[in-house]
Every structure is written in C-alpha cells, then in structure tokens.
Amino acid sequence: MAGQYGNEPMMEMFLFETSQLLEQLEQLILTCEKSNCYTEDTVNEIFRIMHTIKGSSAMMMQDSISTISHSMEDLFYFLRESKPQKIDNSALSDLVLEGVDLIKIEVEKLKNGDKADGNTSELQGRIKSLLSDFQMSNSSSNTVKDRKLLVNKEQQYYLSQDKTRINTAKYKNAFKATIHFEEGCEMENIRAYEIVHNIRDITDEFFHIPERIIEDDSCAEIIRQEGFKLFLRTDSSYEELHEFFMETLFLKDLELVQIEIDDYYRLYDEKQEITSKNISVSNRSSGEESEEIRETHSVSSQQNIISVNMTKLDKLMDLVGEMVIAEDMVIQNPDLKGMELENFQKASRQLQKITGEI
Amino acid sequence: MKKVLIVDDASFMRMTISMMLKKHEFEIVGEAENGIEGVEKYKELRPNIVTMDITMPKMSGIEALRQIREFDPNANVIMITAMGQEILVREAVLNGAKSFLVKPFKEEQVVQAIKKVLAIN
C-alpha cells in the first residue's frame, strides 16, 4: 500500500484515519437519528472527531476538508458548551451527514490522486445558519451563544490588571520591550500572555500594549502588525532581562531599551488615556454616550459585570488569604533551611506564580 | 539523543510529529493515544520532552499535563493545539506547559520549539 496515493505514508495515514473517523461519525449520527437524541457523550465524541479531522487536514493543507470539519466542530462546540434544550435533531443529523458525504468525496478524490477542490461555501453557510438558529432559539436560557462569547465570559475572571504606582521606589530600573513573533506561529496574544505569565518571576510592576491580550481576539492581529510592547520596572539588569526575553519561543525580533522611570509613568498615563478614549469612541458608536463619562474614569469598568453572592465572595477571599499564608508556611518552613531542594524550589516558584495571579 | 514522547489521539499526528523529529536526531521513545496512557508512559519512559495534544478521549491533554507535572515538576511538555482553543492553551500555560504549537505547524517550528525548550531547561 505504500506510496499508493502519491504523497507517501503521511497521506496514506491521513486518508486511512479520516475514513475510519467518518465511518465512526456516521454510526454515531445514525444511532442519534434512531433515538432522536444527542447525548452528552455523543456530542463530545462528534466534537472530538471533527476536531481531529480539522487538525489533520490542516496539516495536510486540505482546505476543503479542514473548512467543513471546522464549521461542524463549531456547531458541536456550541452543543457541548451550551447544552441547549431546543434542538432540531433531524435538521442537525441531515446537515452533519451532508458534511460527512462532502468530506468522503474529497477523500476519494485524494485517494485517486486528484485535488480535493470541492466547493464548501454553500454547506458551510447552511451550517452557520443552523448554528445561529440554535443560538437564537436557545438565547433565553443560561447558555453560551458562541465560542467567542465563551472566551470572553471565561476570561473575564482572569484579567491581568496593570500595576499602578504602588511604590515608585520599589524597583530601580525601567525598560520597554517590543517583541515581534515569527510569522505563522499563530495565537500571538497567547504567546504574549506566556511572556506576561513568566515576567512575574522578575517583577510585579508592568503594563503592556495591547492590554486585553486574553479578552480581545483582535489583539493577535495587533501584535502581528505592531508587536507586543511590554513596559516594566525591575531590579534586573539589561543583560538579565535580555536573556529572559531571548528565551521566548518563536521570537522574531526583540527591541529592549532602558527608559527613565519618569518615562515609564508618562507612558503608563498615555496608555491609560488612549485606552479610555478608545472605550469612549467604541461606546459612542454603539449609541451608548451616556456611559462615556463613567467609562473614561476606569479601564476596568469596561469589563463585563457579574453578580456574586457576597458571602461566597468573602469566603473565597478568606480562602485565598489562608492559601497564601499556608503557602508561605510551606515554602518558608524552617525545617527546609539549608537543604538543597531544586525541584521543590521550582515547584514553589510555580505555586507562587499561580497564587500571585489569584 | 534526546528522548521524546508523543501523546495524540490521532495516529496521523503521531506519525507526522514522529517523522519530523526523527530527521533531527530525536529519539521517539513512545507514543500514547490518550492522556491516561500519556501519563503512564511518561512515568515509565522518563522522556526529555513530551508533545501533548489538548483534545483527547479518556483524559484531556491538560489533565495529563497536570498529572505529569505533579509527578515531575521539571517535565517539559509542549502542547499541540488548533485555532479556537485559546482558553485551553492559556490553561495549559498556567499549568506549566513550556510552549505550544498551533496546527498546521511546520517541521522547523516543532524542531525549533523542542530544541529551545530543551536548551532553556
């Protein structure tokens, strides 16, 4: 069988596995059709199959297969996360089977040595339309409307807030780093987040542009175009900091400059002003002028608001406090004095990083 | 030769990563098709680095990462992900993943990522 499809073992394996997954998928859909019900396990399994086909076809540069499997993955992501009550099972099964048929045709073309160049836009449009129907008919329930919304909802609890002038004498140096990532590395905003996460080993006083790297997907594009700008105060030297940044994976270009401490705060103020203006403009354009004054006072007021039971919040605060104390008791434990515990120290640093974020 | 463990539910992905790495003098000491197997093989084989898919049956890549890091806080794990999984990637970073690769990635990207992680650690 080796070499049967021209592209050698990788193509062979891709076609073999995709065909197997499609068969599995068909069986699952037929079972659901019979029972007129999509169980949680089935939805998870279909999501996983579509995710696998999407990833593998993307690796093989098979866009038609990747596009359709991506659309179906989105559909089942919604079903998995939102668990909607009102679903037209029959319409869902029909559309998924159509998707399976289309992918099968594309797979056949590849097996015959032809190009998989099928037109997916019509089916893709209908999948999107079914997804928005599901979203509309389930919008009153406490569900997540789409993946983007889920990203925002989940991430609002993890906002990294800029450090303000807590203590101007705390660190002696100030730096500005502009980081460009290699083209095609993808998820530049999450790569920037990795840097922010790791910089906490060096300092707790920093801010960055763009600011909402986790909450706002468009930051990936901004970072791609303009780079990720990180301003920080630290006791580390230029060389130490340079070494830190050079460890960044997919780093294309680093511009690191030491700046005056006054400049650090001036830039911080400028950033705050720009952020506030942007929020005002964005609100004005969406017809919410009345909110402008309140929102320009604080960046954080732009974030989504959730209701939290005060008793639970107090308890959570207490637990966090206790956790930090317990952490200190473990890490600073006198029994450990003089002992060389490299792994323990690394684990402690990780723990401190996480509790620091909490 | 540095030892690599590949954890991915897709045979195609395991094969692709394996073929890419073998060309660059890495030894593929094991493969696993879900998180549970991945953790077991890590304990048994003690590789220098793991490539870990995020979405897998039985045990996800994130949970496997947690368990591996619990067993070995110095474990080098690179996550394999796809667009749309930003939240999970962030969770992986918080749980000690050394980096991540987004599908479709190129051979030089996976090699570069692994070499850099190993050089740093």
Side-chain angles (χ1 to χ4, degrees):
Chain A
M1 231 174 105
Q4 189 180 340
Y5 309 120
N7 277 337
E8 293 286 335
M10 271 166 66
M11 178 59 98
E12 236 170 75
M13 178 59 86
F14 166 68
L15 294 172
F16 173 73
E17 192 169 49
T18 305
S19 301
Q20 265 193 336
L21 290 168
L22 290 172
E23 265 177 44
Q24 214 179 317
L25 186 57
E26 265 182 327
Q27 286 305 315
L28 284 168
I29 301 292
L30 292 174
T31 310
C32 292
E33 268 194 327
K34 272 185 193 167
S35 60
N36 195 29
C37 159
Y38 278 80
T39 63
E40 200 177 324
D41 284 348
T42 313
V43 168
N44 283 339
E45 190 57 13
I46 297 174
F47 171 82
R48 195 183 62 78
I49 289 172
M50 293 328 305
H51 181 78
T52 302
I53 295 177
K54 179 189 84 171
S56 300
S57 52
M59 289 295 290
M60 291 302 291
M61 319 278 273
Q62 299 302 328
D63 291 344
S64 58
I65 300 176
S66 168
T67 306
I68 281 301
S69 48
H70 194 166
S71 297
M72 292 209 277
E73 184 199 21
D74 282 345
L75 189 60
F76 280 86
Y77 184 86
F78 169 78
L79 299 178
R80 191 183 74 167
E81 297 302 319
S82 306
K83 299 178 180 57
Q85 301 301 311
K86 300 168 202 163
I87 287 295
D88 183 347
N89 287 330
S90 168
L92 178 63
S93 300
D94 289 348
L95 209 53
V96 175
L97 287 173
E98 271 191 66
V100 169
D101 286 344
L102 195 148
I103 297 175
K104 272 185 171 177
I105 292 169
E106 299 300 272
V107 166
E108 267 321 297
K109 285 183 193 167
L110 293 170
K111 280 183 182 171
N112 295 329
D114 298 327
K115 271 189 175 177
D117 54 1
N119 186 353
T120 57
S121 53
E122 194 267 336
L123 182 58
Q124 200 190 352
R126 283 195 286 129
I127 294 172
K128 275 189 181 165
S129 159
L130 185 69
L131 174 59
S132 56
D133 286 351
F134 286 167
Q135 288 169 341
M136 295 272 278
S137 54
N138 290 280
S139 58
S140 57
S141 56
N142 185 21
T143 57
V144 180
K145 285 184 183 167
D146 61 21
R147 186 182 299 212
K148 272 195 170 174
L149 184 53
L150 181 72
V151 169
N152 289 334
K153 276 175 81 84
E154 288 199 6
Q155 286 167 348
Q156 68 183 338
Y157 305 108
Y158 301 108
L159 292 172
S160 109
Q161 291 301 311
D162 300 332
K163 294 287 173 187
T164 49
R165 301 174 199 199
I166 299 166
N167 179 359
T168 52
K170 196 171 175 184
Y171 298 112
K172 59 184 180 191
N173 301 323
F175 294 93
K176 176 191 173 188
T178 306
I179 295 132
H180 287 270
F181 296 103
E182 284 177 11
E183 278 169 35
C185 72
E186 301 294 345
M187 290 194 199
E188 284 82 352
N189 54 329
I190 307 293
R191 298 197 184 279
Y193 173 77
E194 261 189 314
I195 295 176
V196 170
H197 178 65
N198 293 332
I199 202 82
R200 289 173 207 276
D201 281 344
I202 293 175
T203 180
D204 62 354
E205 193 172 346
F206 61 88
F207 66 92
H208 46 81
I209 300 171
E211 185 184 27
R212 295 162 58 81
I213 49 177
I214 292 289
E215 301 82 359
D216 186 353
D217 286 349
S218 66
C219 284
E221 187 54 35
I222 295 169
I223 294 170
R224 225 168 276 151
Q225 301 291 329
E226 298 168 20
F228 177 60
K229 297 180 181 75
L230 182 65
F231 303 81
L232 67 151
R233 291 200 56 199
T234 175
D235 285 334
S236 299
S237 66
Y238 180 93
E239 287 72 24
E240 287 166 334
L241 213 51
H242 191 267
E243 194 182 342
F244 166 84
F245 285 115
M246 289 309 285
E247 287 180 355
T248 305
L249 261 76
F250 300 111
L251 176 73
K252 183 183 168 192
D253 184 40
L254 166 69
E255 188 192 322
L256 180 65
V257 284
Q258 187 154 10
I259 55 175
E260 295 298 323
I261 288 166
D262 285 348
D263 287 340
Y264 173 88
Y265 289 113
R266 182 180 51 76
L267 290 163
Y268 177 81
D269 290 340
E270 279 175 16
K271 186 216 64 149
Q272 289 296 77
E273 204 176 313
I274 291 164
T275 312
S276 300
K277 274 182 190 165
N278 286 344
I279 292 165
S280 303
V281 169
S282 145
N283 284 339
R284 198 178 296 124
S285 61
S286 59
E288 292 175 3
E289 289 91 337
S290 58
E291 293 292 315
E292 182 182 332
I293 295 166
R294 198 188 329 156
E295 301 229 2
T296 51
H297 284 305
S298 164
V299 175
S300 59
S301 66
Q302 191 254 1
Q303 294 151 16
N304 297 331
I305 293 166
I306 53 164
S307 303
V308 181
N309 182 313
M310 285 302 288
T311 322
K312 284 188 176 168
L313 196 60
D314 283 342
K315 194 174 176 193
L316 181 65
M317 293 278 283
D318 289 343
L319 283 170
V320 171
E322 279 176 32
M323 189 172 75
V324 173
I325 294 166
E327 178 199 345
D328 278 341
M329 284 167 69
V330 173
I331 294 170
Q332 313 291 341
N333 198 303
D335 291 353
L336 301 173
K337 262 191 183 168
M339 293 174 83
E340 285 204 15
L341 303 164
E342 196 187 335
N343 288 346
F344 177 81
Q345 278 159 0
K346 278 191 179 175
S348 305
R349 279 201 295 275
Q350 176 69 7
L351 177 64
Q352 280 176 319
K353 218 177 334 179
I354 295 167
T355 50
E357 289 213 357
I358 297 170
Chain B
M1 230 189 237
K2 296 292 181 187
K3 297 188 287 181
V4 184
L5 169 65
I6 302 170
V7 187
D8 203 306
D9 61 327
S11 322
F12 166 79
M13 283 308 301
R14 295 199 301 275
M15 184 188 196
T16 303
I17 297 171
S18 173
M19 284 173 73
M20 287 173 169
L21 295 181
K22 277 179 184 167
K23 285 190 220 164
H24 296 266
E25 310 234 314
F26 288 106
E27 183 191 358
I28 311 302
V29 286
E31 293 184 11
E33 57 182 44
N34 60 59
I36 298 174
E37 239 181 66
V39 176
E40 281 167 6
K41 290 214 169 160
Y42 184 89
K43 291 177 180 173
E44 179 197 331
L45 303 166
R46 301 302 299 267
N48 300 100
I49 197 156
V50 181
T51 65
M52 177 78 74
D53 185 26
I54 290 187
T55 306
M56 287 187 291
K58 295 184 187 170
M59 183 192 284
S60 76
I62 307 266
E63 183 52 32
L65 164 71
R66 272 192 206 112
Q67 293 195 15
I68 287 174
R69 297 269 304 174
E70 203 175 287
F71 172 75
D72 175 9
N74 296 322
N76 294 316
V77 182
I78 291 183
M79 307 308 287
I80 305 292
T81 184
M83 290 307 287
Q85 292 197 308
E86 284 83 352
I87 298 173
L88 295 173
V89 177
R90 183 191 176 281
E91 203 181 330
V93 170
L94 280 175
N95 280 285
K98 293 291 162 74
S99 189
F100 61 92
L101 290 161
V102 183
K103 284 183 265 186
F105 51 81
K106 293 176 188 156
E107 182 176 314
E108 55 265 31
Q109 289 178 316
V110 66
V111 171
Q112 182 201 348
I114 290 181
K115 281 186 175 170
K116 198 151 186 180
V117 167
L118 290 174
I120 293 164
N121 299 285

